[in-house]
Amino acid sequence: MNLHHADVRRILELLDTAEHLDSLDLRIGDVLLQARKPGAAPSSALPVEALAPTTAPATAAPAPAPAPAVTPPHAPAATPVAVSSPALAEVPDRMIAIRAPMPGTFFRTPAPTQPPFVEEGQQIDASATLCLIEVMKMFNSVAAPAAGRVHSILVEHGQAVEHEQILMIVDPTEAEAGA
């Protein structure tokens, strides 16, 4: 059975509308789909080796040893440090961390030949597009939660990122001082 774009969109719609479901881990063949609502605790039921093929571009790697078809969303937390370490970067006081909303590939530009959405030191408006995260050929924009100045960009263009990994740091006090 193949998982198609329309299937993924429908699964995400179901998760979004479900009141008592915060996350979903679904394995179909060698494809692992992990979806979380904002604020949901990350799943740690799968070993780091099982997560690696889903965050990298599609490869012909064999599937790991047989696993359950669906991982229960309320599995006991084992907190693997290797998975969560990028999300633990220190954010200076009064600054805002822009985090990856999902695992995928980080892109600074809207297209290969176009300039980046933002540069370090650039003033930005609230809800301005800062970057794109590509997952399974779907591009998801990441918007600024507040106006300010881009203090730093912590991820390289084309780099694989994890859910909740800090991508950029924005200084909202710069917007107040400039106004």
Side-chain angles (χ1 to χ4, degrees):
M1 176 178 179
N2 292 334
L3 191 62
H4 299 285
H5 178 82
D7 300 327
V8 173
R9 290 191 64 81
R10 181 67 183 136
I11 291 168
L12 294 176
E13 287 172 5
L14 291 170
L15 176 62
D16 191 40
T17 58
E19 292 181 25
H20 302 291
L21 188 62
D22 291 332
S23 64
L24 175 71
D25 296 326
L26 178 65
R27 180 180 302 277
I28 298 176
D30 62 348
V31 175
L32 175 65
L33 174 66
Q34 294 181 313
R36 312 261 173 277
K37 287 184 178 178
S43 173
S44 58
L46 294 175
V48 175
E49 297 80 25
L51 295 176
T54 63
T55 59
T59 61
V70 176
T71 303
H74 302 292
T79 52
V81 176
V83 170
S84 60
S85 60
L88 300 177
E90 298 231 0
V91 178
D93 288 342
R94 304 180 76 193
M95 294 204 187
I96 300 170
I98 308 301
R99 297 179 183 270
M102 63 198 72
T105 304
F106 173 83
F107 290 101
R108 292 188 59 199
T109 62
T113 59
Q114 294 184 344
F117 288 106
V118 296
E119 296 285 354
E120 286 186 3
Q122 180 179 335
Q123 288 291 130
I124 57 170
D125 295 325
S127 74
T129 300
L130 301 175
C131 63
L132 298 174
I133 303 293
E134 183 262 332
V135 181
M136 296 178 64
K137 306 293 183 205
M138 285 180 45
F139 288 87
N140 303 280
S141 60
V142 177
R149 181 183 58 84
V150 178
H151 179 267
S152 56
I153 300 172
L154 305 174
V155 181
E156 294 295 321
H157 179 79
Q159 180 179 338
V161 296
E162 299 173 6
H163 180 251
E164 291 296 313
Q165 179 176 345
I166 298 176
L167 307 172
M168 299 180 191
I169 297 178
V170 172
D171 185 352
T173 59
E174 290 286 326
E176 297 166 4

